[in-house]
Amino acid sequence: MLGSGFIGRFYAEAIHGQRGRDRVVAVYARSEANAKKFAADYGCPIWSTEMEDIVSNPEVTMVCIALPNNKHEEAVRLCAKHHKNVVCTKPLGRNAEEAYTMMKLVEDAGIFAGYLEDLCYTPKFIKALAMVKNGSLGRILWAKSRETHPGPHSDWFWDKEQAGGGCMLDLGCHCVEIARNYIGKDIKPVRAFCWAATQAKPIEAEDHAIALIEYENGAIGQFETSWSFRGGMDLRDEVMGTEGTIWINSFLRTGFEAYTSGKGGDYISEKAESNSGWLFPVGDEVNELGYNHMFTDMFSAAEEGRAPEETFYDGYVVNAILDACYKSAESGKWEPVDLKIWKGQTGLQKISGYQDYDTDHYFIKEEVTHDGRHKIILKQKAGGKIIERDIQKT
Amino acid sequence: MLGSGFIGRFYAEAIHGQRGRDRVVAVYARSEANAKKFAADYGCPIWSTEMEDIVSNPEVTMVCIALPNNKHEEAVRLCAKHHKNVVCTKPLGRNAEEAYTMMKLVEDAGIFAGYLEDLCYTPKFIKALAMVKNGSLGRILWAKSRETHPGPHSDWFWDKEQAGGGCMLDLGCHCVEIARNYIGKDIKPVRAFCWAATQAKPIEAEDHAIALIEYENGAIGQFETSWSFRGGMDLRDEVMGTEGTIWINSFLRTGFEAYTSGKGGDYISEKAESNSGWLFPVGDEVNELGYNHMFTDMFSAAEEGRAPEETFYDGYVVNAILDACYKSAESGKWEPVDLKIWKGQTGLQKISGYQDYDTDHYFIKEEVTHDGRHKIILKQKAGGKIIERDIQKT
Amino acid sequence: MLGSGFIGRFYAEAIHGQRGRDRVVAVYARSEANAKKFAADYGCPIWSTEMEDIVSNPEVTMVCIALPNNKHEEAVRLCAKHHKNVVCTKPLGRNAEEAYTMMKLVEDAGIFAGYLEDLCYTPKFIKALAMVKNGSLGRILWAKSRETHPGPHSDWFWDKEQAGGGCMLDLGCHCVEIARNYIGKDIKPVRAFCWAATQAKPIEAEDHAIALIEYENGAIGQFETSWSFRGGMDLRDEVMGTEGTIWINSFLRTGFEAYTSGKGGDYISEKAESNSGWLFPVGDEVNELGYNHMFTDMFSAAEEGRAPEETFYDGYVVNAILDACYKSAESGKWEPVDLKIWKGQTGLQKISGYQDYDTDHYFIKEEVTHDGRHKIILKQKAGGKIIERDIQKT
Amino acid sequence: MLGSGFIGRFYAEAIHGQRGRDRVVAVYARSEANAKKFAADYGCPIWSTEMEDIVSNPEVTMVCIALPNNKHEEAVRLCAKHHKNVVCTKPLGRNAEEAYTMMKLVEDAGIFAGYLEDLCYTPKFIKALAMVKNGSLGRILWAKSRETHPGPHSDWFWDKEQAGGGCMLDLGCHCVEIARNYIGKDIKPVRAFCWAATQAKPIEAEDHAIALIEYENGAIGQFETSWSFRGGMDLRDEVMGTEGTIWINSFLRTGFEAYTSGKGGDYISEKAESNSGWLFPVGDEVNELGYNHMFTDMFSAAEEGRAPEETFYDGYVVNAILDACYKSAESGKWEPVDLKIWKGQTGLQKISGYQDYDTDHYFIKEEVTHDGRHKIILKQKAGGKIIERDIQKT
């Protein structure tokens, strides 16, 4: 484990959780105190303040990068050098260039590399994606992901140099990959439009950003990210297809509601903004946020010699999309997504909604009205006139 | 009542509803059959297929326009000519030019004119707006409104010439005015960005549109509109402020849930896409959609000689914003909102989030962590470095 | 209006609400100050501290009783004496004997009498009842109503002599009538079982009570009432039928959610236990609690010479059921519901669930399993053996 | 694994799930076909149609009983004979006598024994129980658990002889233990009242049952169970304390909502009653239902030589409570809970709600009213009069 902070601890808990057979055997942290504390907390026999010591240690078969964004490339370079399998936290790079370099490093070294995009492994997401893939929603028209909360836990996130960006890079990387999955990872993201602003925090980077990403088949991805949301962590996906809809709420409304006067216990629940009134805890945070299913995929993929669901290539595509978003936030117009490598489909057309009703008409809508009429709205093929017609319900 | 269709019937039910003292006394419809049927259904003594007959009838003290969009201007012109108070359904015009003409007509004639923006009168909206105004949410950063459903009831909506646009004009007019209210009607909308597409229906106009509207103080409005949503009518507002959040669900999740095998009754509930499985009816649709509170304001305002909450001027501002959205959907960049008349504040600056913590630091974030630390993140005024600090909780 | 307290004010607001044509013209209160204040607030020309003055005043065409429970009978007696139409708040009496007397008084006097059971007039209840009546739920098996909150507003509620009971009489009267409606008002309540206790308040009456009421056709009613619930007012109905389910949440989860740090405004929302954190306001309380639809029915029924949906007879049946509940809470066993008069069906049998599958089997259950089997469970008519069988899905 | 049916498969999936280190090595089933299929599906090297073969096999270190209720005792007897650790599905016995025998068998044999009460291991339950234990809800007044669905999967459940009862035994065993945990496992259950009926299914046992269980300290447990509920599986807990409330929805409303026209895929989601309309899938069923956390506790407890959270003694107490419920359903009155062994506290008094306000008054309620009054309701210690008083808010 490279890094002993908030996310490193979450990862360790997921890996050690339940009756897991995997173990964190070594930890690197910049400060000796942190390294020792982490080692003690999770029973790691090995710790060091030198990253290369840990990466090169023969006990280590898989390196897990849980470092600030500006340290990812260096860590990946060491893994490539020492031929160690590697999994890296999100975002992969601070920009597409860094991500591309990392992708190339692992490809050239021929090592296993996984992109720790946990929100594409939440139990709800996995089942929702299965529904999308089996056709329950028809053709996907729009996929939105929203992640907003009152701001990250550690100082380095708030520093543009170390983090590489603000809430858009930090949270938008999740949202972009979620929408890509729903729309189809083989559908090319073509262009992006973005609004970003620093509305509420005394920082250089954006604390609020909204973007649209258009795909080659006409589908649209959307994200909403903020570090100035009040009320907890708002984590929601919404998907629209021609045949259905999915709404997922992963954190603030999951079927667990509690009211407390605050007179009782002291500590109530993590990330809640208050410890009295109505609270909305999450049962099993590590599982609900996807960590269990993610590491299961990563370790199993490495054992089985296959690629994991989320690869460094995916991390690179995400960074390329976010680069286009940052450019658009500056230019005020759609910016193309610049992909040096594209492995999916190409040359798709935007799909039209023309659906035959009969030889003379296109179908628009069918409806039962208040007063019991069964009504149909059609478009005449010749001339394009829109007409209404009552039909007999069988 | 000018118009005997879906919306005219909803209006009549709201006006006659409960123990109301107001009555629809006359109705105009293009077809005699429709006029007679409406007159019979709502006990109107007077009906005609000539609009001017109804407007000029001395029994009529207030004209209610419930006509297709391309007939609003003509109807308003008749009201001005005959000096009749008028209330007009949404959107006011098909574009800002039409809306401006209507606004001028009623101003010059000195008649009462109300804009029937019902979704700014729903019980939830009224209370939410009161919370916003009393400061419960602090400074408003973002206000989103979403209205999507499987498409409108009548043929003319689907015809661009009569309707003036697609789902964006039809539904976006609500959303724009909702966001304006939350952000402040006196805050100037400066520019708009919009994506619009015809994804699923065989029509010329857009069936899906998403837009951002930037206000002079840096607040951002957002809307999501569609005629290709599946699952019913999705009607939600979300507001973010520096001190709080509001989420309103006005239709599909209002605390009423029903499951039925479909073996029982035949007709289940209006607008539901199916009559079996889980259904989400609305208790009192007319009230929940704001019709009652809207007409109470309109009739009372006319009696009291004051302006209603929603005026033709508001309708004009909405059309001007939507014009900018349509322009942006074409140009692919932010377009300025062109307002011939602006009655609100001007010259506002975007507000910064710099908030003093002490003489040397700006405040970023305060938090209680897993392990019970009470932590604060600050920015040094000199140099801008971001630091973390543990503090003693009192 | 007899009474100027909390409920009298709610009633006046409902009657005067929107564009209502009815007016509160006179008010009685024990204290002159309260009578004057109410008269000023609601524009009543007439006030008095003598109840009979108000009842007998010729301007008064309908008397509305909004008094403590121990004053209902006296007020009804005056209405009978002066031949005035009367509507009375809930519960009708402190017990069945009082309620019976009141019912007899109005019957003998031949005056209109309505029972102000507002929760049988909420918009959600009205629509849910329509679904039940059109068969969407099949045969009703169970109907539960829950009303719990942190306790009533006025001192007299907490005094057993004036109130006649505790939370069970105060809130259970609603719940009992709600369940009666769903199960069918013509189905005879046969016996009741009740647990009641004083768990958290220093009072003589119960502050928590749960009961079951069995009906002649085997359906079961249930209520849960408390004055020691924390978190606001919990107002929910649940209904189970052979073909469906209804869940109504009338107050705490109605699609309106707000978070506030509390730094903004001071007063936030009525009945909320706090003014910060997550709050769940109700849009239009008067309408959501049924007051509008209730008075519309009452005034219209009186005008049309018909009985309202909720009559003094219904109030009497409710009191008789609650008397059985109180008796059961003492005796620890089922107690019969003692009805001097029963106007509904009699002699019903408990319905059995035996449903033919084919000539040799009864149907138990049909199901699609994980692994795609389409399975059916049956009972052999001869011998009663339960068997499983795979069937072909068509 | 003894048993290869629905629940045995669920257990195997939980044990093998994620990166688990435990393995099902042997399986017993009555039919050879089922034993072989299970062995193939879960990679068990050993299978048999002789129970003792499996229990006595030296590869087996822990026996997991997933058999019909009437086979539990026999299986436990074999475990005792062969000195094998054992975990047994719920309910432990068909009645307290059987459960007592099993408890004695494992005690006498000195083997590890765990009671597989999965719903006391769901992530939501674990966190909720922690909140209760840290005092967030104050003193617990009432704990309800509801489990209702359209009926079990296998034929033997519907046969009273094999199952030992109907929905009450099948589902009530969960509910009883959930409430016991919230109220405190060391608080003695004193008496039970129960209504049970066969309303909708052609079976001898009950298909709907509701009960109240009174504890020595005055707290009340409640359960609602049914095999005739429509709409899916309704799995909810509600807890009321003097300082707070908890509501848990474990299955039908967990933040995952999907609408589908049904035109897309064929199979949608397990246990859903339909494959179109609004569906409410659960993300990770095995985890949400508690299986992961349960087996983690069981295996870890066995390794560490400690008792698991849920023991055979707990299973016995649950059976004793359900026996009292069955007796009460017959007798129509409260029945004492007959416990041969009680390991918790004894001699507790019902707690009163008398709380001093000042030397002369007890506190009843504090409230802010509509009109901004800050009001307090008190009871005079001398005389017991209830009074209201306005106070100054500080």
Side-chain angles (χ1 to χ4, degrees), chain A residues 149-389:
Chain A
H149 58 53
H153 308 268
S154 298
D155 46 11
W156 68 263
F157 282 97
W158 302 92
D159 174 15
K160 203 175 178 176
E161 170 54 26
Q162 290 180 74
C167 66
M168 177 150 64
L169 187 61
D170 179 32
L171 310 177
C173 62
H174 291 304
C175 302
V176 160
E177 188 63 355
I178 287 168
R180 265 190 81 216
N181 269 283
Y182 286 127
I183 289 168
K185 278 189 174 183
D186 60 337
I187 308 299
K188 197 171 182 181
V190 175
R191 57 179 192 158
F193 177 83
C194 179
W195 166 88
T198 313
Q199 287 184 310
K201 301 285 180 182
I203 57 172
E204 273 172 77
E206 74 285 353
D207 63 8
H208 196 171
I210 300 168
L212 298 172
I213 292 98
E214 201 177 53
Y215 286 78
E216 205 177 29
N217 65 353
I220 193 92
Q222 179 178 330
F223 67 72
E224 297 167 13
T225 59
S226 177
W227 283 347
S228 44
F229 177 77
R230 301 303 305 269
M233 181 154 76
D234 186 19
L235 213 52
R236 279 180 287 165
D237 298 348
E238 302 186 14
V239 191
M240 271 172 63
T242 51
E243 300 296 334
T245 296
I246 284 178
W247 292 337
I248 287 179
N249 193 322
S250 297
F251 219 78
L252 269 178
R253 297 292 183 273
T254 62
F256 192 154
E257 311 174 63
Y259 176 88
T260 171
S261 69
K263 279 185 198 162
D266 198 36
Y267 172 82
I268 298 292
S269 172
E270 75 289 286
K271 270 188 192 155
E273 285 210 85
S274 62
N275 64 355
S276 67
W278 280 103
L279 307 173
F280 298 88
V282 172
D284 183 352
E285 213 175 321
V286 164
N287 195 56
E288 288 301 312
L289 291 179
Y291 296 116
N292 291 344
H293 293 268
M294 179 174 73
F295 283 113
T296 291
D297 181 45
M298 293 295 162
F299 289 122
S300 301
E303 282 173 11
E304 298 163 15
R306 63 167 171 83
E309 293 297 323
E310 294 289 328
T311 65
F312 273 28
Y313 172 69
D314 292 313
Y316 162 66
V317 174
V318 168
N319 269 126
I321 291 172
L322 290 174
D323 280 3
C325 290
Y326 276 109
K327 217 179 279 182
S328 167
E330 287 294 318
S331 72
K333 58 187 178 65
W334 289 98
E335 293 288 350
V337 177
D338 181 22
L339 288 167
K340 284 193 215 177
I341 298 184
W342 173 243
K343 302 182 177 176
Q345 302 184 59
T346 51
L348 296 180
Q349 299 293 314
K350 290 192 189 179
I351 298 168
S352 102
Y354 283 70
Q355 185 189 340
D356 274 4
Y357 177 74
D358 57 24
T359 43
D360 298 329
H361 299 87
Y362 298 116
F363 173 78
I364 293 185
K365 204 198 169 199
E366 193 174 336
E367 184 175 7
V368 181
T369 62
H370 287 265
D371 45 345
R373 290 169 58 203
H374 200 81
K375 192 169 122 176
I376 197 154
I377 300 180
L378 302 172
K379 179 175 188 164
Q380 294 175 343
K381 291 183 181 179
K385 198 164 183 280
I386 314 262
I387 59 162
E388 280 184 40
R389 204 187 266 179

Side-chain angles (χ1 to χ4, degrees), chain C residues 189-203:
Chain C
V190 175
R191 56 178 193 159
F193 177 83
C194 179
W195 166 88
T198 312
Q199 289 183 310
K201 302 284 180 183
I203 57 172

Side-chain angles (χ1 to χ4, degrees), chain C residues 156-326:
Chain C
W156 69 263
F157 282 96
W158 303 92
D159 174 14
K160 203 175 180 178
E161 170 54 27
Q162 290 180 75
C167 67
M168 176 149 66
L169 187 61
D170 180 31
L171 309 177
C173 62
H174 291 303
C175 303
V176 161
E177 187 63 355
I178 286 168
R180 265 191 82 215
N181 269 282
Y182 285 127
I183 289 169
K185 278 189 174 183
D186 59 338
I187 309 299
K188 198 170 180 181
V190 175
R191 56 178 193 159
F193 177 83
C194 179
W195 166 88
T198 312
Q199 289 183 310
K201 302 284 180 183
I203 57 172
E204 272 172 78
E206 74 285 354
D207 63 8
H208 197 172
I210 300 168
L212 298 170
I213 292 98
E214 201 177 54
Y215 287 77
E216 204 177 29
N217 65 354
I220 194 91
Q222 179 177 331
F223 67 73
E224 297 168 13
T225 58
S226 178
W227 283 347
S228 44
F229 177 77
R230 300 303 305 268
M233 180 155 77
D234 185 20
L235 212 54
R236 280 180 287 164
D237 298 349
E238 302 186 14
V239 192
M240 272 172 62
T242 51
E243 299 296 335
T245 297
I246 284 178
W247 292 338
I248 287 180
N249 193 322
S250 298
F251 218 79
L252 269 179
R253 296 295 183 272
T254 63
F256 192 154
E257 312 174 64
Y259 175 87
T260 172
S261 69
K263 281 186 197 159
D266 197 38
Y267 172 81
I268 299 292
S269 174
E270 76 289 285
K271 274 190 189 153
E273 284 211 87
S274 63
N275 63 355
S276 67
W278 280 103
L279 307 173
F280 299 87
V282 171
D284 183 352
E285 213 176 321
V286 164
N287 195 58
E288 288 302 312
L289 291 179
Y291 296 116
N292 291 343
H293 293 268
M294 178 174 74
F295 282 113
T296 291
D297 180 44
M298 292 295 162
F299 288 123
S300 301
E303 282 173 12
E304 298 163 14
R306 62 168 172 84
E309 293 297 323
E310 294 290 328
T311 65
F312 272 28
Y313 172 69
D314 292 313
Y316 162 66
V317 174
V318 168
N319 270 126
I321 291 172
L322 291 173
D323 280 4
C325 290
Y326 277 109

Side-chain angles (χ1 to χ4, degrees), chain B residues 20-181:
Chain B
R21 72 178 84 119
D22 309 301
R23 281 292 168 274
V24 179
V25 293
V27 62
Y28 153 78
R30 260 180 309 174
S31 95
E32 190 176 315
N34 288 345
K36 277 183 170 170
K37 176 148 182 21
F38 185 100
D41 288 350
Y42 296 100
C44 295
I46 306 160
W47 62 266
S48 174
T49 59
E50 287 299 318
M51 210 191 289
E52 193 158 4
D53 284 358
I54 298 301
V55 174
S56 63
N57 189 298
E59 290 299 304
V60 171
T61 56
M62 168 85 85
V63 174
C64 179
I65 303 175
L67 298 166
N69 300 344
N70 60 335
K71 305 293 184 191
H72 293 187
E73 188 181 323
E74 174 190 350
V76 169
R77 202 173 289 280
L78 288 173
C79 293
K81 177 177 168 191
H82 294 283
H83 257 261
K84 287 289 170 73
N85 291 339
V86 61
V87 290
C88 181
T89 194
K90 46 59 51 181
L92 187 56
R94 284 177 296 178
N95 49 53
E97 199 186 329
E98 276 191 7
Y100 187 81
T101 303
M102 287 184 255
M103 182 181 72
K104 278 297 175 195
L105 280 167
V106 300
E107 280 181 13
D108 293 349
I111 54 177
F112 174 91
Y115 176 49
L116 297 180
E117 176 38 82
D118 58 293
L119 296 186
C120 293
Y121 286 101
T122 72
K124 284 172 184 162
F125 178 84
I126 290 171
K127 191 165 283 187
L129 188 59
M131 288 182 74
V132 166
K133 290 199 167 161
N134 80 17
S136 297
L137 267 67
R139 175 161 56 91
I140 300 305
L141 304 173
W142 174 75
K144 181 179 96 166
S145 181
R146 175 177 174 87
E147 180 168 358
T148 63
H149 59 53
H153 309 268
S154 299
D155 47 12
W156 68 263
F157 281 97
W158 302 92
D159 173 13
K160 203 176 179 175
E161 169 55 25
Q162 290 180 74
C167 67
M168 176 150 65
L169 186 60
D170 180 31
L171 309 177
C173 62
H174 291 303
C175 302
V176 161
E177 187 64 354
I178 286 168
R180 266 190 80 216
N181 269 282

Side-chain angles (χ1 to χ4, degrees), chain B residues 360-387:
Chain B
D360 298 329
H361 299 87
Y362 298 115
F363 173 79
I364 292 185
K365 205 196 167 202
E366 193 174 336
E367 185 175 4
V368 181
T369 61
H370 288 264
D371 44 346
R373 289 169 58 203
H374 200 81
K375 188 168 127 176
I376 196 155
I377 300 179
L378 302 172
K379 178 174 190 163
Q380 293 175 344
K381 290 183 181 178
K385 196 162 184 279
I386 312 261
I387 57 162

Side-chain angles (χ1 to χ4, degrees), chain A residues 15-81:
Chain A
I15 293 167
H16 289 188
Q18 306 294 353
R19 304 275 299 166
R21 72 178 84 119
D22 310 300
R23 281 292 169 272
V24 179
V25 293
V27 61
Y28 153 77
R30 259 179 310 172
S31 94
E32 189 176 318
N34 287 345
K36 278 183 170 170
K37 176 149 182 22
F38 186 100
D41 289 350
Y42 297 100
C44 295
I46 307 159
W47 63 265
S48 173
T49 59
E50 286 301 316
M51 210 190 288
E52 194 158 4
D53 283 358
I54 297 301
V55 173
S56 62
N57 190 299
E59 291 298 307
V60 171
T61 56
M62 168 85 85
V63 175
C64 178
I65 303 175
L67 298 165
N69 300 343
N70 59 335
K71 304 291 183 194
H72 293 187
E73 189 181 322
E74 175 190 350
V76 169
R77 202 171 290 279
L78 289 172
C79 294
K81 177 177 167 192

